[in-house]
PDB file of all heavy atoms in Angstrom:
ATOM      1  N   VAL A 446       0.832  -1.201   0.000  1.00  0.00           N
ATOM      2  CA  VAL A 446       0.000   0.000   0.000  1.00  0.00           C
ATOM      3  C   VAL A 446       0.868   1.254   0.000  1.00  0.00           C
ATOM      4  O   VAL A 446       0.616   2.206  -0.756  1.00  0.00           O
ATOM      5  CB  VAL A 446      -0.950  -0.008   1.222  1.00  0.00           C
ATOM      6  CG1 VAL A 446      -1.731   1.303   1.292  1.00  0.00           C
ATOM      7  CG2 VAL A 446      -1.902  -1.194   1.152  1.00  0.00           C
ATOM      8  N   ALA A 447       1.893   1.255   0.843  1.00  0.00           N
ATOM      9  CA  ALA A 447       2.794   2.413   0.904  1.00  0.00           C
ATOM     10  C   ALA A 447       3.523   2.598  -0.427  1.00  0.00           C
ATOM     11  O   ALA A 447       3.682   3.733  -0.902  1.00  0.00           O
ATOM     12  CB  ALA A 447       3.801   2.228   2.034  1.00  0.00           C
ATOM     13  N   ARG A 448       3.955   1.498  -1.042  1.00  0.00           N
ATOM     14  CA  ARG A 448       4.650   1.602  -2.327  1.00  0.00           C
ATOM     15  C   ARG A 448       3.715   2.144  -3.408  1.00  0.00           C
ATOM     16  O   ARG A 448       4.113   2.991  -4.223  1.00  0.00           O
ATOM     17  CB  ARG A 448       5.199   0.232  -2.727  1.00  0.00           C
ATOM     18  CG  ARG A 448       6.035   0.254  -4.001  1.00  0.00           C
ATOM     19  CD  ARG A 448       6.732  -1.064  -4.237  1.00  0.00           C
ATOM     20  NE  ARG A 448       5.790  -2.170  -4.325  1.00  0.00           N
ATOM     21  CZ  ARG A 448       5.658  -3.129  -3.408  1.00  0.00           C
ATOM     22  NH1 ARG A 448       6.413  -3.104  -2.312  1.00  0.00           N
ATOM     23  NH2 ARG A 448       4.789  -4.106  -3.559  1.00  0.00           N
ATOM     24  N   THR A 449       2.469   1.683  -3.404  1.00  0.00           N
ATOM     25  CA  THR A 449       1.489   2.183  -4.376  1.00  0.00           C
ATOM     26  C   THR A 449       1.208   3.658  -4.155  1.00  0.00           C
ATOM     27  O   THR A 449       1.071   4.426  -5.115  1.00  0.00           O
ATOM     28  CB  THR A 449       0.182   1.373  -4.269  1.00  0.00           C
ATOM     29  OG1 THR A 449       0.459   0.001  -4.524  1.00  0.00           O
ATOM     30  CG2 THR A 449      -0.856   1.887  -5.246  1.00  0.00           C
ATOM     31  N   MET A 450       1.138   4.065  -2.905  1.00  0.00           N
ATOM     32  CA  MET A 450       0.875   5.479  -2.606  1.00  0.00           C
ATOM     33  C   MET A 450       1.989   6.369  -3.146  1.00  0.00           C
ATOM     34  O   MET A 450       1.736   7.455  -3.677  1.00  0.00           O
ATOM     35  CB  MET A 450       0.707   5.669  -1.100  1.00  0.00           C
ATOM     36  CG  MET A 450       0.157   7.022  -0.697  1.00  0.00           C
ATOM     37  SD  MET A 450      -0.080   7.158   1.105  1.00  0.00           S
ATOM     38  CE  MET A 450      -1.238   5.820   1.389  1.00  0.00           C
ATOM     39  N   VAL A 451       3.227   5.897  -3.025  1.00  0.00           N
ATOM     40  CA  VAL A 451       4.359   6.671  -3.531  1.00  0.00           C
ATOM     41  C   VAL A 451       4.395   6.655  -5.057  1.00  0.00           C
ATOM     42  O   VAL A 451       4.572   7.697  -5.705  1.00  0.00           O
ATOM     43  CB  VAL A 451       5.679   6.131  -2.951  1.00  0.00           C
ATOM     44  CG1 VAL A 451       6.878   6.820  -3.599  1.00  0.00           C
ATOM     45  CG2 VAL A 451       5.712   6.328  -1.439  1.00  0.00           C
ATOM     46  N   ASP A 452       4.194   5.482  -5.642  1.00  0.00           N
ATOM     47  CA  ASP A 452       4.302   5.346  -7.104  1.00  0.00           C
ATOM     48  C   ASP A 452       3.180   6.075  -7.835  1.00  0.00           C
ATOM     49  O   ASP A 452       3.402   6.639  -8.916  1.00  0.00           O
ATOM     50  CB  ASP A 452       4.292   3.862  -7.501  1.00  0.00           C
ATOM     51  CG  ASP A 452       5.521   3.122  -7.006  1.00  0.00           C
ATOM     52  OD1 ASP A 452       6.530   3.797  -6.681  1.00  0.00           O
ATOM     53  OD2 ASP A 452       5.478   1.875  -6.919  1.00  0.00           O
ATOM     54  N   ARG A 453       1.976   6.069  -7.265  1.00  0.00           N
ATOM     55  CA  ARG A 453       0.818   6.653  -7.951  1.00  0.00           C
ATOM     56  C   ARG A 453       0.468   8.054  -7.468  1.00  0.00           C
ATOM     57  O   ARG A 453      -0.561   8.596  -7.871  1.00  0.00           O
ATOM     58  CB  ARG A 453      -0.405   5.737  -7.754  1.00  0.00           C
ATOM     59  CG  ARG A 453      -0.234   4.317  -8.255  1.00  0.00           C
ATOM     60  CD  ARG A 453      -0.124   4.254  -9.766  1.00  0.00           C
ATOM     61  NE  ARG A 453      -1.339   4.701 -10.393  1.00  0.00           N
ATOM     62  CZ  ARG A 453      -2.374   3.883 -10.682  1.00  0.00           C
ATOM     63  NH1 ARG A 453      -2.279   2.594 -10.393  1.00  0.00           N
ATOM     64  NH2 ARG A 453      -3.447   4.344 -11.267  1.00  0.00           N
ATOM     65  N   TRP A 454       1.318   8.634  -6.614  1.00  0.00           N
ATOM     66  CA  TRP A 454       0.981   9.944  -6.057  1.00  0.00           C
ATOM     67  C   TRP A 454       0.935  11.021  -7.128  1.00  0.00           C
ATOM     68  O   TRP A 454      -0.057  11.745  -7.265  1.00  0.00           O
ATOM     69  CB  TRP A 454       1.965  10.320  -4.957  1.00  0.00           C
ATOM     70  CG  TRP A 454       1.731  11.690  -4.389  1.00  0.00           C
ATOM     71  CD1 TRP A 454       2.463  12.808  -4.618  1.00  0.00           C
ATOM     72  CD2 TRP A 454       0.654  12.077  -3.530  1.00  0.00           C
ATOM     73  NE1 TRP A 454       1.925  13.874  -3.939  1.00  0.00           N
ATOM     74  CE2 TRP A 454       0.809  13.450  -3.269  1.00  0.00           C
ATOM     75  CE3 TRP A 454      -0.418  11.394  -2.956  1.00  0.00           C
ATOM     76  CZ2 TRP A 454      -0.065  14.150  -2.454  1.00  0.00           C
ATOM     77  CZ3 TRP A 454      -1.288  12.099  -2.139  1.00  0.00           C
ATOM     78  CH2 TRP A 454      -1.114  13.449  -1.904  1.00  0.00           C
ATOM     79  N   ASP A 455       2.001  11.150  -7.914  1.00  0.00           N
ATOM     80  CA  ASP A 455       2.074  12.221  -8.913  1.00  0.00           C
ATOM     81  C   ASP A 455       1.056  12.030 -10.029  1.00  0.00           C
ATOM     82  O   ASP A 455       0.438  12.987 -10.497  1.00  0.00           O
ATOM     83  CB  ASP A 455       3.487  12.300  -9.501  1.00  0.00           C
ATOM     84  CG  ASP A 455       4.507  12.801  -8.485  1.00  0.00           C
ATOM     85  OD1 ASP A 455       4.092  13.538  -7.568  1.00  0.00           O
ATOM     86  OD2 ASP A 455       5.689  12.437  -8.597  1.00  0.00           O
ATOM     87  N   GLY A 456       0.864  10.824 -10.466  1.00  0.00           N
ATOM     88  CA  GLY A 456      -0.005  10.610 -11.614  1.00  0.00           C
ATOM     89  C   GLY A 456      -1.480  10.553 -11.296  1.00  0.00           C
ATOM     90  O   GLY A 456      -2.314  10.954 -12.098  1.00  0.00           O
ATOM     91  N   THR A 457      -1.836  10.029 -10.103  1.00  0.00           N
ATOM     92  CA  THR A 457      -3.248   9.766  -9.811  1.00  0.00           C
ATOM     93  C   THR A 457      -3.708  10.356  -8.489  1.00  0.00           C
ATOM     94  O   THR A 457      -4.680  11.115  -8.432  1.00  0.00           O
ATOM     95  CB  THR A 457      -3.506   8.243  -9.799  1.00  0.00           C
ATOM     96  OG1 THR A 457      -3.121   7.688 -11.055  1.00  0.00           O
ATOM     97  CG2 THR A 457      -4.978   7.949  -9.546  1.00  0.00           C
ATOM     98  N   LEU A 458      -3.020  10.008  -7.413  1.00  0.00           N
ATOM     99  CA  LEU A 458      -3.535  10.288  -6.077  1.00  0.00           C
ATOM    100  C   LEU A 458      -3.473  11.759  -5.699  1.00  0.00           C
ATOM    101  O   LEU A 458      -4.330  12.236  -4.951  1.00  0.00           O
ATOM    102  CB  LEU A 458      -2.765   9.457  -5.050  1.00  0.00           C
ATOM    103  CG  LEU A 458      -2.998   7.943  -5.138  1.00  0.00           C
ATOM    104  CD1 LEU A 458      -2.105   7.212  -4.151  1.00  0.00           C
ATOM    105  CD2 LEU A 458      -4.464   7.619  -4.871  1.00  0.00           C
ATOM    106  N   ALA A 459      -2.470  12.489  -6.179  1.00  0.00           N
ATOM    107  CA  ALA A 459      -2.337  13.897  -5.779  1.00  0.00           C
ATOM    108  C   ALA A 459      -3.541  14.713  -6.239  1.00  0.00           C
ATOM    109  O   ALA A 459      -4.164  15.432  -5.446  1.00  0.00           O
ATOM    110  CB  ALA A 459      -1.041  14.481  -6.347  1.00  0.00           C
ATOM    111  N   SER A 460      -3.874  14.625  -7.525  1.00  0.00           N
ATOM    112  CA  SER A 460      -5.015  15.390  -8.037  1.00  0.00           C
ATOM    113  C   SER A 460      -6.324  14.906  -7.435  1.00  0.00           C
ATOM    114  O   SER A 460      -7.212  15.712  -7.114  1.00  0.00           O
ATOM    115  CB  SER A 460      -5.070  15.289  -9.559  1.00  0.00           C
ATOM    116  OG  SER A 460      -5.257  13.947  -9.970  1.00  0.00           O
ATOM    117  N   ALA A 461      -6.461  13.580  -7.252  1.00  0.00           N
ATOM    118  CA  ALA A 461      -7.693  13.046  -6.668  1.00  0.00           C
ATOM    119  C   ALA A 461      -7.861  13.502  -5.225  1.00  0.00           C
ATOM    120  O   ALA A 461      -8.976  13.846  -4.793  1.00  0.00           O
ATOM    121  CB  ALA A 461      -7.677  11.525  -6.748  1.00  0.00           C
ATOM    122  N   THR A 462      -6.767  13.531  -4.476  1.00  0.00           N
ATOM    123  CA  THR A 462      -6.832  13.990  -3.083  1.00  0.00           C
ATOM    124  C   THR A 462      -7.228  15.459  -3.009  1.00  0.00           C
ATOM    125  O   THR A 462      -8.039  15.851  -2.148  1.00  0.00           O
ATOM    126  CB  THR A 462      -5.471  13.778  -2.393  1.00  0.00           C
ATOM    127  OG1 THR A 462      -5.125  12.394  -2.447  1.00  0.00           O
ATOM    128  CG2 THR A 462      -5.521  14.223  -0.944  1.00  0.00           C
ATOM    129  N   TRP A 463      -6.695  16.259  -3.894  1.00  0.00           N
ATOM    130  CA  TRP A 463      -7.030  17.685  -3.892  1.00  0.00           C
ATOM    131  C   TRP A 463      -8.510  17.901  -4.210  1.00  0.00           C
ATOM    132  O   TRP A 463      -9.174  18.728  -3.577  1.00  0.00           O
ATOM    133  CB  TRP A 463      -6.157  18.426  -4.895  1.00  0.00           C
ATOM    134  CG  TRP A 463      -6.522  19.876  -5.036  1.00  0.00           C
ATOM    135  CD1 TRP A 463      -7.119  20.480  -6.103  1.00  0.00           C
ATOM    136  CD2 TRP A 463      -6.341  20.902  -4.056  1.00  0.00           C
ATOM    137  NE1 TRP A 463      -7.318  21.810  -5.858  1.00  0.00           N
ATOM    138  CE2 TRP A 463      -6.849  22.098  -4.604  1.00  0.00           C
ATOM    139  CE3 TRP A 463      -5.795  20.914  -2.777  1.00  0.00           C
ATOM    140  CZ2 TRP A 463      -6.820  23.288  -3.906  1.00  0.00           C
ATOM    141  CZ3 TRP A 463      -5.773  22.105  -2.084  1.00  0.00           C
ATOM    142  CH2 TRP A 463      -6.277  23.281  -2.655  1.00  0.00           C
ATOM    143  N   VAL A 464      -9.037  17.138  -5.165  1.00  0.00           N
ATOM    144  CA  VAL A 464     -10.456  17.261  -5.525  1.00  0.00           C
ATOM    145  C   VAL A 464     -11.345  16.879  -4.340  1.00  0.00           C
ATOM    146  O   VAL A 464     -12.289  17.600  -3.987  1.00  0.00           O
ATOM    147  CB  VAL A 464     -10.777  16.388  -6.754  1.00  0.00           C
ATOM    148  CG1 VAL A 464     -12.279  16.304  -6.984  1.00  0.00           C
ATOM    149  CG2 VAL A 464     -10.100  16.944  -7.990  1.00  0.00           C
ATOM    150  N   THR A 465     -11.046  15.748  -3.731  1.00  0.00           N
ATOM    151  CA  THR A 465     -11.862  15.298  -2.600  1.00  0.00           C
ATOM    152  C   THR A 465     -11.732  16.242  -1.410  1.00  0.00           C
ATOM    153  O   THR A 465     -12.720  16.534  -0.721  1.00  0.00           O
ATOM    154  CB  THR A 465     -11.446  13.872  -2.185  1.00  0.00           C
ATOM    155  OG1 THR A 465     -11.575  13.000  -3.311  1.00  0.00           O
ATOM    156  CG2 THR A 465     -12.324  13.362  -1.058  1.00  0.00           C
ATOM    157  N   LEU A 466     -10.533  16.742  -1.156  1.00  0.00           N
ATOM    158  CA  LEU A 466     -10.333  17.680  -0.052  1.00  0.00           C
ATOM    159  C   LEU A 466     -11.129  18.959  -0.274  1.00  0.00           C
ATOM    160  O   LEU A 466     -11.721  19.503   0.665  1.00  0.00           O
ATOM    161  CB  LEU A 466      -8.848  17.998   0.093  1.00  0.00           C
ATOM    162  CG  LEU A 466      -8.462  18.959   1.222  1.00  0.00           C
ATOM    163  CD1 LEU A 466      -8.850  18.380   2.573  1.00  0.00           C
ATOM    164  CD2 LEU A 466      -6.967  19.263   1.189  1.00  0.00           C
ATOM    165  N   THR A 467     -11.167  19.433  -1.516  1.00  0.00           N
ATOM    166  CA  THR A 467     -11.967  20.616  -1.829  1.00  0.00           C
ATOM    167  C   THR A 467     -13.443  20.372  -1.546  1.00  0.00           C
ATOM    168  O   THR A 467     -14.130  21.216  -0.957  1.00  0.00           O
ATOM    169  CB  THR A 467     -11.773  21.001  -3.304  1.00  0.00           C
ATOM    170  OG1 THR A 467     -10.386  21.256  -3.553  1.00  0.00           O
ATOM    171  CG2 THR A 467     -12.573  22.253  -3.651  1.00  0.00           C
ATOM    172  N   GLU A 468     -13.930  19.207  -1.953  1.00  0.00           N
ATOM    173  CA  GLU A 468     -15.336  18.871  -1.698  1.00  0.00           C
ATOM    174  C   GLU A 468     -15.624  18.795  -0.209  1.00  0.00           C
ATOM    175  O   GLU A 468     -16.665  19.277   0.263  1.00  0.00           O
ATOM    176  CB  GLU A 468     -15.664  17.536  -2.366  1.00  0.00           C
ATOM    177  CG  GLU A 468     -15.562  17.548  -3.875  1.00  0.00           C
ATOM    178  CD  GLU A 468     -15.562  16.159  -4.478  1.00  0.00           C
ATOM    179  OE1 GLU A 468     -15.569  15.179  -3.700  1.00  0.00           O
ATOM    180  OE2 GLU A 468     -15.541  16.048  -5.716  1.00  0.00           O
ATOM    181  N   VAL A 469     -14.703  18.205   0.537  1.00  0.00           N
ATOM    182  CA  VAL A 469     -14.906  18.045   1.980  1.00  0.00           C
ATOM    183  C   VAL A 469     -14.934  19.403   2.678  1.00  0.00           C
ATOM    184  O   VAL A 469     -15.843  19.690   3.479  1.00  0.00           O
ATOM    185  CB  VAL A 469     -13.799  17.151   2.573  1.00  0.00           C
ATOM    186  CG1 VAL A 469     -13.824  17.206   4.098  1.00  0.00           C
ATOM    187  CG2 VAL A 469     -13.971  15.718   2.109  1.00  0.00           C
ATOM    188  N   LEU A 470     -13.980  20.258   2.382  1.00  0.00           N
ATOM    189  CA  LEU A 470     -13.889  21.545   3.072  1.00  0.00           C
ATOM    190  C   LEU A 470     -15.049  22.464   2.706  1.00  0.00           C
ATOM    191  O   LEU A 470     -15.667  23.084   3.587  1.00  0.00           O
ATOM    192  CB  LEU A 470     -12.555  22.211   2.748  1.00  0.00           C
ATOM    193  CG  LEU A 470     -11.304  21.508   3.282  1.00  0.00           C
ATOM    194  CD1 LEU A 470     -10.048  22.267   2.870  1.00  0.00           C
ATOM    195  CD2 LEU A 470     -11.362  21.357   4.792  1.00  0.00           C
ATOM    196  N   LEU A 471     -15.360  22.556   1.404  1.00  0.00           N
ATOM    197  CA  LEU A 471     -16.469  23.424   0.993  1.00  0.00           C
ATOM    198  C   LEU A 471     -17.811  22.881   1.484  1.00  0.00           C
ATOM    199  O   LEU A 471     -18.666  23.638   1.946  1.00  0.00           O
ATOM    200  CB  LEU A 471     -16.479  23.568  -0.530  1.00  0.00           C
ATOM    201  CG  LEU A 471     -15.311  24.342  -1.145  1.00  0.00           C
ATOM    202  CD1 LEU A 471     -15.435  24.390  -2.661  1.00  0.00           C
ATOM    203  CD2 LEU A 471     -15.240  25.756  -0.582  1.00  0.00           C
ATOM    204  N   GLY A 472     -17.985  21.569   1.395  1.00  0.00           N
ATOM    205  CA  GLY A 472     -19.229  20.980   1.885  1.00  0.00           C
ATOM    206  C   GLY A 472     -19.382  21.139   3.381  1.00  0.00           C
ATOM    207  O   GLY A 472     -20.487  21.413   3.883  1.00  0.00           O
ATOM    208  N   PHE A 473     -18.280  20.980   4.120  1.00  0.00           N
ATOM    209  CA  PHE A 473     -18.333  21.160   5.571  1.00  0.00           C
ATOM    210  C   PHE A 473     -18.646  22.607   5.917  1.00  0.00           C
ATOM    211  O   PHE A 473     -19.422  22.868   6.847  1.00  0.00           O
ATOM    212  CB  PHE A 473     -16.999  20.740   6.180  1.00  0.00           C
ATOM    213  CG  PHE A 473     -16.975  20.774   7.679  1.00  0.00           C
ATOM    214  CD1 PHE A 473     -17.689  19.854   8.421  1.00  0.00           C
ATOM    215  CD2 PHE A 473     -16.227  21.728   8.355  1.00  0.00           C
ATOM    216  CE1 PHE A 473     -17.660  19.877   9.806  1.00  0.00           C
ATOM    217  CE2 PHE A 473     -16.194  21.771   9.732  1.00  0.00           C
ATOM    218  CZ  PHE A 473     -16.917  20.836  10.464  1.00  0.00           C
ATOM    219  N   ALA A 474     -18.071  23.549   5.185  1.00  0.00           N
ATOM    220  CA  ALA A 474     -18.369  24.964   5.422  1.00  0.00           C
ATOM    221  C   ALA A 474     -19.844  25.256   5.160  1.00  0.00           C
ATOM    222  O   ALA A 474     -20.488  25.997   5.924  1.00  0.00           O
ATOM    223  CB  ALA A 474     -17.487  25.840   4.527  1.00  0.00           C
ATOM    224  N   CYS A 475     -20.396  24.669   4.088  1.00  0.00           N
ATOM    225  CA  CYS A 475     -21.835  24.838   3.806  1.00  0.00           C
ATOM    226  C   CYS A 475     -22.674  24.242   4.928  1.00  0.00           C
ATOM    227  O   CYS A 475     -23.696  24.820   5.327  1.00  0.00           O
ATOM    228  CB  CYS A 475     -22.193  24.178   2.483  1.00  0.00           C
ATOM    229  SG  CYS A 475     -21.480  24.963   1.021  1.00  0.00           S
ATOM    230  N   ALA A 476     -22.263  23.085   5.450  1.00  0.00           N
ATOM    231  CA  ALA A 476     -23.006  22.439   6.529  1.00  0.00           C
ATOM    232  C   ALA A 476     -22.989  23.283   7.793  1.00  0.00           C
ATOM    233  O   ALA A 476     -24.011  23.422   8.480  1.00  0.00           O
ATOM    234  CB  ALA A 476     -22.419  21.055   6.806  1.00  0.00           C
ATOM    235  N   VAL A 477     -21.825  23.863   8.116  1.00  0.00           N
ATOM    236  CA  VAL A 477     -21.719  24.710   9.314  1.00  0.00           C
ATOM    237  C   VAL A 477     -22.608  25.942   9.171  1.00  0.00           C
ATOM    238  O   VAL A 477     -23.353  26.296  10.094  1.00  0.00           O
ATOM    239  CB  VAL A 477     -20.256  25.120   9.542  1.00  0.00           C
ATOM    240  CG1 VAL A 477     -20.153  26.149  10.662  1.00  0.00           C
ATOM    241  CG2 VAL A 477     -19.402  23.899   9.870  1.00  0.00           C
ATOM    242  N   THR A 478     -22.551  26.572   8.001  1.00  0.00           N
ATOM    243  CA  THR A 478     -23.374  27.768   7.780  1.00  0.00           C
ATOM    244  C   THR A 478     -24.849  27.447   7.867  1.00  0.00           C
ATOM    245  O   THR A 478     -25.616  28.119   8.577  1.00  0.00           O
ATOM    246  CB  THR A 478     -23.043  28.381   6.408  1.00  0.00           C
ATOM    247  OG1 THR A 478     -21.639  28.679   6.343  1.00  0.00           O
ATOM    248  CG2 THR A 478     -23.834  29.656   6.187  1.00  0.00           C
ATOM    249  N   ALA A 479     -25.274  26.412   7.133  1.00  0.00           N
ATOM    250  CA  ALA A 479     -26.693  26.042   7.130  1.00  0.00           C
ATOM    251  C   ALA A 479     -27.132  25.572   8.510  1.00  0.00           C
ATOM    252  O   ALA A 479     -28.236  25.919   8.973  1.00  0.00           O
ATOM    253  CB  ALA A 479     -26.942  24.953   6.090  1.00  0.00           C
ATOM    254  N   GLY A 480     -26.296  24.777   9.185  1.00  0.00           N
ATOM    255  CA  GLY A 480     -26.666  24.271  10.494  1.00  0.00           C
ATOM    256  C   GLY A 480     -26.852  25.367  11.521  1.00  0.00           C
ATOM    257  O   GLY A 480     -27.811  25.356  12.300  1.00  0.00           O
ATOM    258  N   LEU A 481     -25.942  26.349  11.539  1.00  0.00           N
ATOM    259  CA  LEU A 481     -26.063  27.456  12.490  1.00  0.00           C
ATOM    260  C   LEU A 481     -27.292  28.313  12.193  1.00  0.00           C
ATOM    261  O   LEU A 481     -28.015  28.712  13.115  1.00  0.00           O
ATOM    262  CB  LEU A 481     -24.799  28.308  12.457  1.00  0.00           C
ATOM    263  CG  LEU A 481     -23.556  27.695  13.108  1.00  0.00           C
ATOM    264  CD1 LEU A 481     -22.355  28.612  12.930  1.00  0.00           C
ATOM    265  CD2 LEU A 481     -23.806  27.429  14.582  1.00  0.00           C
ATOM    266  N   LEU A 482     -27.523  28.588  10.917  1.00  0.00           N
ATOM    267  CA  LEU A 482     -28.688  29.404  10.562  1.00  0.00           C
ATOM    268  C   LEU A 482     -29.993  28.705  10.934  1.00  0.00           C
ATOM    269  O   LEU A 482     -30.907  29.322  11.492  1.00  0.00           O
ATOM    270  CB  LEU A 482     -28.665  29.717   9.064  1.00  0.00           C
ATOM    271  CG  LEU A 482     -27.575  30.689   8.591  1.00  0.00           C
ATOM    272  CD1 LEU A 482     -27.609  30.836   7.078  1.00  0.00           C
ATOM    273  CD2 LEU A 482     -27.746  32.055   9.261  1.00  0.00           C
ATOM    274  N   ILE A 483     -30.075  27.413  10.645  1.00  0.00           N
ATOM    275  CA  ILE A 483     -31.290  26.667  10.965  1.00  0.00           C
ATOM    276  C   ILE A 483     -31.479  26.580  12.477  1.00  0.00           C
ATOM    277  O   ILE A 483     -32.598  26.775  12.991  1.00  0.00           O
ATOM    278  CB  ILE A 483     -31.230  25.261  10.339  1.00  0.00           C
ATOM    279  CG1 ILE A 483     -31.295  25.359   8.816  1.00  0.00           C
ATOM    280  CG2 ILE A 483     -32.374  24.391  10.852  1.00  0.00           C
ATOM    281  CD1 ILE A 483     -31.053  24.044   8.104  1.00  0.00           C
ATOM    282  N   ALA A 484     -30.400  26.288  13.208  1.00  0.00           N
ATOM    283  CA  ALA A 484     -30.512  26.177  14.664  1.00  0.00           C
ATOM    284  C   ALA A 484     -30.945  27.496  15.294  1.00  0.00           C
ATOM    285  O   ALA A 484     -31.822  27.518  16.172  1.00  0.00           O
ATOM    286  CB  ALA A 484     -29.172  25.722  15.249  1.00  0.00           C
ATOM    287  N   CYS A 485     -30.367  28.598  14.849  1.00  0.00           N
ATOM    288  CA  CYS A 485     -30.746  29.904  15.395  1.00  0.00           C
ATOM    289  C   CYS A 485     -32.188  30.242  15.052  1.00  0.00           C
ATOM    290  O   CYS A 485     -32.935  30.779  15.890  1.00  0.00           O
ATOM    291  CB  CYS A 485     -29.805  30.984  14.871  1.00  0.00           C
ATOM    292  SG  CYS A 485     -28.115  30.848  15.495  1.00  0.00           S
ATOM    293  N   ALA A 486     -32.605  29.944  13.822  1.00  0.00           N
ATOM    294  CA  ALA A 486     -33.990  30.228  13.423  1.00  0.00           C
ATOM    295  C   ALA A 486     -34.975  29.418  14.259  1.00  0.00           C
ATOM    296  O   ALA A 486     -35.996  29.946  14.733  1.00  0.00           O
ATOM    297  CB  ALA A 486     -34.170  29.925  11.938  1.00  0.00           C
ATOM    298  N   LEU A 487     -34.690  28.143  14.478  1.00  0.00           N
ATOM    299  CA  LEU A 487     -35.586  27.304  15.276  1.00  0.00           C
ATOM    300  C   LEU A 487     -35.578  27.725  16.739  1.00  0.00           C
ATOM    301  O   LEU A 487     -36.594  27.589  17.434  1.00  0.00           O
ATOM    302  CB  LEU A 487     -35.180  25.837  15.147  1.00  0.00           C
ATOM    303  CG  LEU A 487     -35.267  25.220  13.751  1.00  0.00           C
ATOM    304  CD1 LEU A 487     -34.927  23.736  13.804  1.00  0.00           C
ATOM    305  CD2 LEU A 487     -36.644  25.420  13.137  1.00  0.00           C
TER     306      LEU A 487
END
């Protein structure tokens, strides 16, 4: 697994990790915003 992570990092895993990380951070920020607004409204 470690060897595959090193060998496939530049070609595959680096860009895929960045895409997923972007989705996670932006989605989490949307969840925090929506959750706080809904909780305060209720």
Side-chain angles (χ1 to χ4, degrees):
V446 175
R448 184 171 58 250
T449 301
M450 192 178 300
V451 173
D452 294 341
R453 302 292 296 271
W454 177 255
D455 291 333
T457 303
L458 293 176
S460 62
T462 301
W463 175 251
V464 170
T465 303
L466 181 61
T467 301
E468 296 166 356
V469 168
L470 294 179
L471 292 179
F473 185 70
C475 293
V477 172
T478 303
L481 287 177
L482 290 176
I483 292 172
C485 292
L487 297 184

